[in-house]
Amino acid sequence: MASKSWLNILTFLCGSAVGFVLCSQLLSILLEEQKDIQPSVLHNDPHARHSDDSEQNHLEGQMNFDADASQHKDENTDIAEKLYQKVKILCWVMTGPQNLEKKAKHVKATWAQRCNKVLFMSSEENKDFPAVGLKTREGRDQLYWKTIKAFQYVHDHYLDDADWFMKADDDTYVILDNLRWLLSKYNPEDPIYFGRRFKPYVKQGYMSGGAGYVLSKEALKRFVEAFKTDKCTHSSSIEDLALGRCMEIINVEAGDSRDTTGKETFHPFVPEHHLIKGYLPRTFWYWNYNYYPPVEGPGCCSDLAVSFHYVDPTTMYELEYLVYHLRPYGYLYRYQPALPEKMLKEVSQIYKNEDKKVNQEPLKEKHK
Amino acid sequence: MLSESSLFLKGVLLGSIFCVLMTMLGHIRMDYGKRRRHYEHHHLQAPDEDILKLAEDERTNLSKSFRVYCIILVKPKDVRLWAAVKETWAKHCDKAEFFSSENVKVFESVNMGTNDMWLMMRKAYKYAFDKYGDQYNWFFLARPTTFAIIENLKYFLLKKNSSQPFYLGHTEKSGDLEYVSVGGGIVLSIESIKRLNSLPSIPEKCPEKGRKVWDVSEDKQLAVCLKYAGVFAKNAEDSKGKDVFNTKSVGIFIKEAMTNHPNQVVEGCCSDMAITFNGLTYNQMYVMMYGVYHLRAFGHVFSDVLVFLPVNASDND
């Protein structure tokens, strides 16, 4: 009899243990967030693109430039606002249906707001996101098709709404204020385009797709025209290379996007990969591709960097925090870049007016 | 057979109920703990942004009036992070010294000759006070896993009199004891360090050596001693109530924000005037240096009361 009651107790205890464990597992699945393990990614092929690429989405409305300016009472954004008006940039982001919620959403929540106009391009229209449908298929081999169609779409609908037309991926982080500074020295009527310049295959070089590239209005016009007249065709599926070849054919200049100290502004990787000496192995393709002498360590990246690539969602927000929020109080940065001459006159006007508090209205106009 | 299986099932049921209860209790305790902390801890805020309108030279003089001595406690196993700290943010301290448990060939350090963290800390404070008490007015102690922005520390200390007993950082509560967590960095004014050093060694009030049995961490130990000397911990916050000393890295904050408030990730993350982050890797130290001292958006201009020039012999900023 005693052994039977022991057995009963044991059975009961086993049951409660099993119940407890099962329940805690269930609860932990329900309650806890998933931990993301980020493997360090070395992309072995310069033309390797993201495996799940998809469709196109329709137009994205304009966002308020000053979305978070109210947070910073001591921050003066007059110059940035002036540049916003003077250097109009339309951004289109290469994405697809599977990536809208996974990646494009975070682009939309961060840097996309600062474009004068932003469009999310997918193979399939999505009215809610919103995203433009380019009516292509899915897949890596579709990238150049999507690019051609995206630029065509932008040309047909928004040519007059911007001066410069930027293409980025849904894992590219772009600092629009710095892009405007870079482009303010140039004329959108000139046939020129900028990005991270690579040297192989194309005599004048071509721009890395992932780091993003930006076409002048004239460059866009010529590009679209070239496909109508068959000057350029869908020659390959390697988007950035094919586009670079076309640019050369139509006499659009591959610009030098480096800052006034010679530091690169468009980056094909995240800051860590460029800043840490030895991170990218010597045998990596990158060292042979860069048009200008590549630099690793602190000289790699301009203070006024324009883009980074292979940026995962967490890093999107981290960069947003580091660029637009965290700062060293009172610090006099070593690099003090100047505005181009034509802008300097207008800016000095701003500072004169600050004291007099006259004529503030046109400059303080908010963009709705 | 039937009675056994029903017994088993009853056990399963009980186990599940117990588990649910425990989870719920755990959440309630956490919430209660958070609320309790909010009402009962002491906090200190950064100066209001529009305080003084000063002339250029007045600003320079004011900026120079903060003399921060940095104490970084290291052990041989920390050598990689030590290297990173040495090459990055430590250069922004008015003086930075590394206090190690033993002599390490690769780097210069002040040898504390002990593995006990509390003893190391105590000796380091004594050393700093004895040698530099008349040259520095603020003492910042950190571990090599911490990244610090000394300029933001100085801004935070604006209008705080160092001859008052300040003991600041990210505070936590252990029972009745409010202490500054060493992970987020510990700030002591000269007055606090003076009082700490003039304490007689009374084992119950302020032990010489760390207690191995109870394994009280060195930051709690420090709080106990300081409390005895009449110095109390205060949590440092910005004008919006956000912590400026952080015991986690930016990445962790972002990940948490993406889960807890996905529509306000960056807004809900961290202070614009954050002073420290903790738990960084060697690589992240360099990324932070670039992110803080280089990377920025053109056309955003600030009119700051203080002025800090770039430091000499420093590549990473």
Side-chain angles (χ1 to χ4, degrees):
Chain A
M1 285 306 114
S3 63
K4 182 132 196 234
S5 66
W6 269 118
L7 192 66
N8 287 344
I9 292 168
L10 201 66
T11 315
F12 187 78
L13 284 175
C14 274
S16 43
V18 167
F20 190 88
V21 167
L22 278 175
C23 181
S24 68
Q25 286 304 306
L26 195 70
L27 280 176
S28 70
I29 291 168
L30 287 173
L31 295 176
E32 279 173 25
E33 67 277 319
Q34 278 171 327
K35 274 211 169 138
D36 252 343
I37 301 163
Q38 310 284 354
S40 71
V41 190
L42 272 190
H43 304 271
N44 291 314
D45 178 349
H47 304 293
R49 301 312 294 273
H50 320 285
S51 41
D52 38 357
D53 228 326
S54 41
E55 305 151 330
Q56 301 154 345
N57 300 297
H58 52 242
L59 306 171
E60 170 73 13
Q62 225 165 331
M63 305 283 264
N64 188 351
F65 170 78
D66 291 318
D68 59 1
S70 58
Q71 280 198 349
H72 311 147
K73 291 188 285 176
D74 52 350
E75 183 175 0
N76 183 316
T77 54
D78 288 349
I79 296 175
E81 287 197 47
K82 190 80 196 155
L83 277 176
Y84 182 92
Q85 290 174 37
K86 288 261 144 195
V87 185
K88 291 193 169 63
I89 303 176
L90 180 148
C91 312
W92 69 264
V93 180
M94 174 98 82
T95 184
Q98 297 98 289
N99 284 335
L100 289 182
E101 286 304 303
K102 261 176 36 183
K103 298 183 179 185
K105 179 174 91 163
H106 306 294
V107 166
K108 196 169 126 182
T110 56
W111 62 265
Q113 306 165 40
R114 298 188 185 91
C115 304
N116 296 74
K117 180 108 198 113
V118 63
L119 301 168
F120 289 87
M121 300 292 191
S122 174
S123 49
E124 204 178 271
E125 186 187 35
N126 182 311
K127 289 208 161 98
D128 296 319
F129 191 81
V132 174
L134 294 173
K135 300 190 193 64
T136 62
R137 295 193 308 273
E138 289 182 38
R140 283 165 68 151
D141 57 324
Q142 296 300 301
L143 288 173
Y144 195 36
W145 272 126
K146 287 169 77 170
T147 305
I148 296 164
K149 285 180 178 250
F151 274 125
Q152 200 130 38
Y153 183 93
V154 164
H155 174 273
D156 295 343
H157 295 86
Y158 295 100
L159 188 65
D160 295 326
D161 292 14
D163 307 309
W164 299 88
F165 303 85
M166 168 99 194
K167 175 260 173 182
D169 283 353
D170 52 20
D171 60 351
T172 309
Y173 182 83
V174 183
I175 303 166
L176 269 301
D177 300 82
N178 295 345
L179 181 57
R180 287 194 182 93
W181 173 77
L182 173 73
L183 298 175
S184 62
K185 306 182 206 59
Y186 298 92
N187 191 338
E189 313 301 323
D190 290 337
I192 194 167
Y193 79 125
F194 295 95
R196 168 62 79 115
R197 204 166 169 188
F198 284 162
K199 69 180 175 211
Y201 312 118
V202 183
K203 189 152 172 267
Q204 67 161 0
Y206 69 96
M207 306 306 173
S208 153
Y213 47 77
V214 55
L215 273 59
S216 67
K217 192 189 292 249
E218 179 58 28
L220 175 62
K221 281 183 187 168
R222 290 191 190 188
F223 182 72
V224 171
E225 185 63 28
F227 280 87
K228 292 200 174 114
T229 60
D230 272 356
K231 256 188 166 175
C232 292
T233 58
H234 183 269
S235 51
S236 105
S237 61
I238 305 174
E239 167 236 337
D240 45 11
L241 179 52
L243 187 125
R245 281 197 168 122
C246 178
M247 289 289 133
E248 192 164 71
I249 290 168
I250 58 180
N251 292 315
V252 170
E253 185 190 341
D256 181 354
S257 57
R258 294 175 301 171
D259 72 16
T260 53
T261 64
K263 296 201 179 79
E264 297 273 13
T265 54
F266 289 76
H267 302 282
F269 304 108
V270 290
E272 186 182 1
H273 291 37
H274 292 285
L275 286 164
I276 304 298
K277 290 193 175 129
Y279 196 106
L280 303 174
R282 280 282 132 194
T283 51
F284 199 48
W285 59 263
Y286 171 76
W287 302 106
N288 294 321
Y289 265 58
N290 217 51
Y291 189 91
Y292 305 106
V295 179
E296 56 178 359
C300 69
C301 317
S302 175
D303 285 22
L304 303 186
V306 170
S307 71
F308 294 99
H309 184 220
Y310 293 120
V311 178
D312 65 20
T314 308
T315 311
M316 284 277 173
Y317 295 109
E318 280 188 60
L319 285 169
E320 182 80 5
Y321 173 67
L322 290 174
V323 176
Y324 290 99
H325 294 269
L326 185 64
R327 68 183 186 95
Y329 189 85
Y331 187 71
L332 211 66
Y333 299 100
R334 288 183 202 272
Y335 183 47
Q336 295 289 336
L339 271 174
E341 301 240 341
K342 55 180 176 176
M343 299 249 21
L344 278 171
K345 282 183 225 152
E346 314 192 39
V347 167
S348 61
Q349 208 49 38
I350 294 175
Y351 283 116
K352 281 201 190 105
N353 293 337
E354 272 240 326
D355 296 330
K356 293 180 196 162
K357 291 218 186 278
V358 169
N359 282 342
Q360 285 276 303
E361 286 315 288
L363 300 172
K364 289 264 181 221
E365 201 174 69
K366 301 293 179 213
H367 320 283
K368 292 291 179 307
Chain B
M1 189 65 191
L2 195 65
S3 67
E4 270 161 25
S5 55
S6 81
L7 205 62
F8 185 80
L9 285 173
K10 280 180 195 159
V12 170
L13 192 66
L14 187 72
S16 322
I17 294 171
F18 191 61
C19 170
V20 170
L21 275 173
M22 277 196 61
T23 314
M24 274 169 55
L25 265 170
H27 275 140
I28 293 170
R29 260 187 83 238
M30 254 167 56
D31 288 340
Y32 178 65
K34 272 188 207 149
R35 262 183 282 133
R36 202 163 159 248
R37 212 171 79 86
H38 181 77
Y39 290 126
E40 290 187 22
H41 77 202
H42 301 89
H43 55 158
L44 204 59
Q45 292 201 333
D48 214 341
E49 278 143 12
D50 38 33
I51 10 151
L52 310 149
K53 301 271 182 235
L54 293 177
E56 182 85 37
D57 51 348
E58 284 178 293
R59 286 160 67 201
T60 313
N61 287 337
L62 181 59
S63 311
K64 289 192 177 147
S65 72
F66 303 96
R67 307 259 311 147
V68 175
Y69 178 90
C70 295
I71 296 168
I72 301 128
L73 300 178
V74 290
K75 290 191 167 171
K77 66 175 173 71
D78 300 323
V79 76
R80 190 155 158 79
L81 279 171
W82 177 348
V85 171
K86 190 163 176 293
E87 285 306 303
T88 58
W89 65 263
K91 296 200 185 214
H92 290 242
C93 302
D94 293 284
K95 186 168 182 67
E97 285 199 273
F98 293 84
F99 294 78
S100 57
S101 51
E102 58 191 77
N103 258 326
V104 174
K105 259 187 270 177
V106 206
F107 296 122
E108 228 179 79
S109 65
V110 183
N111 187 1
M112 297 282 91
T114 171
N115 249 316
D116 182 302
M117 285 305 291
W118 164 236
L119 190 53
M120 270 179 76
M121 188 185 270
R122 188 123 197 224
K123 285 175 87 167
Y125 275 130
K126 178 157 171 50
Y127 174 96
F129 180 70
D130 288 344
K131 203 162 180 202
Y132 300 110
D134 53 346
Q135 295 173 49
Y136 299 91
N137 47 12
W138 296 96
F139 296 79
F140 173 65
L141 184 143
R143 292 281 284 127
T145 48
T146 307
F147 178 84
I149 305 168
I150 302 297
E151 289 80 8
N152 289 352
L153 173 59
K154 291 183 176 178
Y155 173 59
F156 183 81
L157 296 175
L158 195 60
K159 298 201 120 187
K160 290 178 179 61
N161 190 346
S162 59
S163 52
Q164 294 292 307
F166 283 103
Y167 167 36
L168 312 162
H170 171 94
T171 58
E172 310 242 339
K173 266 209 143 174
S174 174
D176 269 334
L177 180 73
E178 190 162 3
Y179 67 96
V180 171
S181 178
V182 68
I186 305 172
V187 177
L188 291 182
S189 61
I190 184 70
E191 174 62 26
S192 300
I193 216 179
K194 191 188 282 180
R195 291 193 193 185
L196 177 69
N197 281 300
S198 56
L199 276 179
S201 178
I202 300 168
E204 299 84 48
K205 299 286 183 185
C206 183
E208 230 342 85
K209 290 201 175 125
R211 291 180 197 179
K212 291 197 176 99
V213 184
W214 303 114
D215 194 28
V216 178
S217 59
E218 68 276 16
D219 42 9
K220 286 194 196 125
Q221 208 72 270
L222 178 67
V224 168
C225 290
L226 284 172
K227 196 168 171 184
Y228 181 56
V231 179
F232 299 94
K234 289 202 172 55
N235 193 51
E237 296 159 15
D238 66 12
S239 52
K240 295 178 189 79
K242 278 194 189 160
D243 282 353
V244 287
F245 291 86
N246 297 295
T247 52
K248 297 184 266 204
S249 64
V250 179
I252 301 289
F253 278 115
I254 295 290
K255 285 195 169 85
E256 285 176 358
M258 284 171 77
T259 311
N260 299 331
H261 33 91
N263 294 323
Q264 295 257 292
V265 176
V266 179
E267 295 80 359
C269 162
C270 327
S271 174
D272 285 15
M273 303 310 302
I275 298 170
T276 60
F277 290 101
N278 190 35
L280 276 80
T281 63
Y282 173 93
N283 288 5
Q284 284 166 342
M285 292 276 177
Y286 289 90
V287 174
M288 284 302 284
M289 285 303 281
Y290 173 70
V292 172
Y293 293 101
H294 285 285
L295 188 63
R296 59 195 188 276
F298 184 82
H300 295 243
V301 175
F302 297 85
S303 43
D304 293 337
V305 164
L306 301 173
V307 163
F308 299 111
L309 297 177
V311 298
N312 292 327
S314 180
D315 293 329
N316 298 296
D317 52 29

